[in-house]
Amino acid sequence: MLSLRKPIFHVAALLGIASSLTGQQPDPCQQRTMVVSVRDRDGQPLHGLNPANFHGSMHGRPVRISSVEAGPAVRRIVVLLDSSGSMTVPAEKWRLARLLAGDIVAHASASSQLALVTFSGEIRGIEGFSVGRSALLDKIRKIDDPQQQGGPTGIADAIAKALDLLSPAQPGESIYLITDGYDNHSKHKPRQLRDALTTSGTRLFAFLLMDPMAGGNGPDAQDFRTLANESGGALAKFGVQSLVIGTAQWHLQPRTRAAISLGAEVLYRQMENTYRLELELPSVLNKAQKWKLDVVDTQGSKHKDIDVIYPHELFPCTVQAAQH
């Protein structure tokens, strides 16, 4: 006599196993994509790393690195050029700022798409991603008269505008800020920008012209240093210390120019040489959490001479979704 009891038992058992297996799958909110840069002690990018070379943790719990691949080939970069009063006096300082803006336009990889935003207390001009390199260089040359610039400084508001231009942003896109770090006009706060940069996967890079006359060593400059580091970006700086009759001296010698060029080149390498990591968090986040990422050797020990540049904070999934 045929009985349905045994088949029903097997079906129920199989359904139970399937349910159990489904329950073991990680929550989608535990999955994250992260773009990072890795460099040696000389600032040179490291290539050929795999998941075993990375170790992630969050409050002592492991963050699983499920895959590692080369970062995106096509990148968008918004160049923010501060043209406020403190940047345009003396004329030599303004000339250096324009040289830095022109340098990235000329030397960014061919696969990169660039936009240019000039700002003071307000946005002065925007050249979008559809504008070619030659047109961008021409625009930078045409703003060479510092007397036509000037005014207060809204650095945080300019970063917010760059985020708008990149929206919807893809992980690994960059903002390159050229400024003296003195903000006296913005409505946006650094904390707002930090959250927006991290959740969108956008990295902030900055070249800081440290002028003792403009507050380049003050709290505003420190805020933007921190913002760059926490977003997974980086900062280069050039400082003028000497004052003659109350005016900083910006006459650049060949050796100084070479040092500035090297600092800018290190930033470009970090923008363009990246890894795309897929992460699995140990649990779903209900608030922002700090985490740690290192490159390790075959024994699992951190490489002391290797730096990983990455966003230092992860946000809850609901915030992540809202930003995208």
Side-chain angles (χ1 to χ4, degrees), residues 202-217:
T202 305
R203 300 173 300 157
L204 175 65
F205 295 85
F207 205 113
L208 183 63
L209 303 179
M210 299 176 64
D211 188 339
M213 298 297 295
N217 292 310

Side-chain angles (χ1 to χ4, degrees), residues 102-305:
D103 192 67
I104 189 171
V105 173
H107 293 100
S109 67
S111 61
S112 295
Q113 301 173 357
L114 288 94
L116 172 69
V117 176
T118 54
F119 70 95
S120 56
E122 58 187 19
I123 302 302
R124 289 182 176 272
I126 299 175
E127 303 294 328
F129 293 108
S130 61
V131 177
R133 302 283 181 101
S134 296
L136 287 179
L137 289 171
D138 187 55
K139 173 65 177 179
I140 293 168
R141 281 193 293 267
K142 287 181 177 178
I143 54 174
D144 60 352
D145 183 1
Q147 299 304 318
Q148 297 177 5
Q149 310 304 314
T153 312
I155 300 173
D157 288 352
I159 295 172
K161 173 55 69 174
L163 285 166
D164 286 344
L165 290 176
L166 290 168
S167 181
Q170 298 298 315
E173 296 184 319
S174 302
I175 298 170
Y176 181 39
L177 170 66
I178 302 167
T179 183
D180 56 19
Y182 182 62
D183 191 329
N184 60 5
H185 199 72
S186 286
K187 296 178 182 178
H188 291 83
K189 303 299 181 184
R191 173 73 195 198
Q192 293 174 288
L193 296 176
R194 189 195 69 175
D195 294 357
L197 287 165
T198 302
T199 54
S200 67
T202 305
R203 300 173 300 157
L204 175 65
F205 295 85
F207 205 113
L208 183 63
L209 303 179
M210 299 176 64
D211 188 339
M213 298 297 295
N217 292 310
D220 288 333
Q222 183 58 48
D223 283 342
F224 294 113
R225 288 190 192 97
T226 302
L227 200 59
N229 291 333
E230 292 188 346
S231 73
L235 180 141
K237 59 186 178 181
F238 170 70
V240 171
Q241 303 298 332
S242 61
L243 297 176
V244 177
I245 317 179
T247 302
Q249 299 304 291
W250 287 89
H251 300 289
L252 303 181
Q253 302 300 321
R255 182 178 298 179
T256 305
R257 286 175 177 269
I260 293 171
S261 178
L262 178 61
E265 185 180 337
V266 169
L267 293 183
Y268 305 162
R269 286 199 294 263
Q270 289 181 220
M271 291 181 202
E272 297 180 350
N273 293 275
T274 60
Y275 289 95
R276 181 186 177 99
L277 276 58
E278 298 295 334
L279 314 178
E280 183 181 313
L281 306 184
S283 60
V284 175
L285 303 181
N286 55 22
K287 63 179 181 179
Q289 297 279 356
K290 297 283 187 181
W291 76 300
K292 189 175 181 182
L293 181 66
D294 294 312
V295 169
V296 297
D297 59 23
T298 55
Q299 305 301 316
S301 299
K302 177 184 175 182
H303 276 290
K304 296 181 180 179
D305 296 330

